[in-house]
Amino acid sequence: MLQQIAPQPPWTRLGRHLESAFRKALFEFDLIGNTNKIGVALSGGKDSLTLLYLLKAISGRGFPNLQITAIHVSGEFSCGSQIQPSFLKAICSQLDVELITAHQNQKKEDLSCYPCSRERRSLIFNAAREKGIEKIAFGHHQDDFIQTLLMNLFHKGEFASNLPKIKMVNYGVTIIRPLIYITEKEIISFATHYGFNRIVCRCPVGQNSMRKQTDQLLNYIETKFPNVRSNLAYAGRIYGSNKAKKP
């Protein structure tokens, strides 16, 4: 049933907590500003769907009535490659959200996370620009923030992570990340409760990416220091908001 596909308020207790954390990020970092046109990078996975549902939930409730456009990148090895187009169309139709689909042509022999991500973002940015959309929401949550912080520290000697808001000057758009205060565990619980927690990525490279390995490292550290994730998230927001350069 469509009503089960696209959950909307009133939420459970967890849903109310997620919306509160979502609103906190929007207000604290002024993510929406004066615009009412927002693009959503929609893979169809738990993170991007949670983002879409929460964004729709706050529209007109303390924020402007938002004109939301979902942008999905399809392709054999894209992050949402196992999602049926009819599934996303049904969700967006119920939520009164426009859905745009762009296609990615990654080949298995050339697969690599960084160029794949760059191509996917370029497709999303170009689609948004054609619609006159200047702000695009991505579903990066607190655990993505922590992983990026460690990867930058280990590889570059920079104590810096994903910024809640960053202007992509060459494309004329701004990325916003409203899930920055929400953990992956909370998203999994939310998605499981509402029935949209499913695996949508079948990229053979992504299953053993540096990000996955970093998360496994965090899992190990967490057995010794139970508060490591929340402490890193706090430190990253307080001390790592500006990209530190090596001396």
Side-chain angles (χ1 to χ4, degrees), residues 3-27:
Q3 192 171 2
Q4 296 175 318
I5 292 175
Q8 299 178 63
W11 302 122
T12 61
R13 180 178 180 182
L14 175 61
R16 293 193 298 273
H17 167 71
L18 262 60
E19 183 179 326
S20 177
F22 191 78
R23 287 176 175 272
K24 178 181 178 181
L26 292 176
F27 279 119

Side-chain angles (χ1 to χ4, degrees), residues 165-214:
K165 179 170 62 176
I166 181 169
K167 188 166 186 178
M168 310 301 292
V169 178
N170 292 338
Y171 291 94
V173 298
T174 297
I175 290 176
I176 60 173
R177 298 182 171 103
L179 300 182
I180 195 168
Y181 284 122
I182 298 175
T183 68
E184 185 172 28
K185 286 183 180 179
E186 290 170 333
I187 290 175
I188 290 172
S189 296
F190 182 73
T192 300
H193 178 80
Y194 285 107
F196 64 91
N197 184 27
R198 51 179 57 83
I199 303 299
V200 302
C201 180
R202 59 184 182 188
C203 173
V205 175
Q207 304 313 308
N208 193 38
S209 66
M210 187 58 64
R211 183 170 294 277
K212 287 280 188 181
Q213 294 178 48
T214 303

Side-chain angles (χ1 to χ4, degrees), residues 3-244:
Q3 192 171 2
Q4 296 175 318
I5 292 175
Q8 299 178 63
W11 302 122
T12 61
R13 180 178 180 182
L14 175 61
R16 293 193 298 273
H17 167 71
L18 262 60
E19 183 179 326
S20 177
F22 191 78
R23 287 176 175 272
K24 178 181 178 181
L26 292 176
F27 279 119
E28 183 171 334
F29 302 110
D30 189 27
L31 298 185
I32 291 180
N34 297 322
T35 186
N36 71 332
K37 297 178 71 173
I38 303 291
V40 175
L42 185 68
S43 70
K46 65 184 189 323
D47 304 334
S48 65
L49 283 173
T50 296
L51 170 64
L52 178 64
Y53 297 148
L54 291 175
L55 198 57
K56 185 65 179 181
I58 61 92
S59 176
R61 298 171 54 231
F63 292 92
N65 287 308
L66 300 176
Q67 182 181 335
I68 303 171
T69 300
I71 305 170
H72 175 69
V73 177
S74 67
E76 184 180 1
F77 299 105
S78 70
C79 289
S81 58
Q82 289 188 316
I83 287 291
Q84 294 296 320
S86 58
F87 175 74
L88 293 183
K89 287 179 182 177
I91 290 173
C92 291
S93 176
Q94 184 183 353
L95 296 176
D96 192 25
V97 167
E98 181 182 12
L99 175 64
I100 298 173
T101 300
H103 188 74
Q104 189 174 27
N105 293 305
Q106 286 289 325
K107 303 299 182 184
K108 186 173 182 179
E109 57 270 18
D110 300 321
L111 274 181
S112 179
C113 286
Y114 183 70
C116 179
S117 174
R118 283 183 61 88
E119 181 188 359
R120 189 167 61 251
R121 287 192 177 197
S122 294
L123 289 168
I124 292 170
F125 296 158
N126 289 334
R129 191 165 53 183
E130 288 178 7
K131 286 288 184 178
I133 298 168
E134 295 182 356
K135 288 194 175 177
I136 307 171
F138 279 77
H140 299 131
H141 46 65
Q142 182 171 286
D143 291 86
D144 292 320
F145 178 86
I146 296 165
Q147 294 156 14
T148 302
L149 181 70
L150 286 185
M151 288 190 292
N152 281 335
L153 184 61
F154 294 159
H155 286 287
K156 303 179 184 179
E158 295 180 7
F159 193 79
S161 188
N162 296 325
L163 296 174
K165 179 170 62 176
I166 181 169
K167 188 166 186 178
M168 310 301 292
V169 178
N170 292 338
Y171 291 94
V173 298
T174 297
I175 290 176
I176 60 173
R177 298 182 171 103
L179 300 182
I180 195 168
Y181 284 122
I182 298 175
T183 68
E184 185 172 28
K185 286 183 180 179
E186 290 170 333
I187 290 175
I188 290 172
S189 296
F190 182 73
T192 300
H193 178 80
Y194 285 107
F196 64 91
N197 184 27
R198 51 179 57 83
I199 303 299
V200 302
C201 180
R202 59 184 182 188
C203 173
V205 175
Q207 304 313 308
N208 193 38
S209 66
M210 187 58 64
R211 183 170 294 277
K212 287 280 188 181
Q213 294 178 48
T214 303
D215 193 52
Q216 291 167 3
L217 173 62
L218 279 164
N219 287 337
Y220 171 74
I221 296 174
E222 203 169 20
T223 64
K224 308 296 181 182
F225 302 94
N227 298 319
V228 63
R229 291 180 186 267
S230 58
N231 287 340
L232 282 172
Y234 174 78
R237 289 193 299 267
I238 299 300
Y239 305 109
S241 58
N242 295 318
K243 293 184 177 180

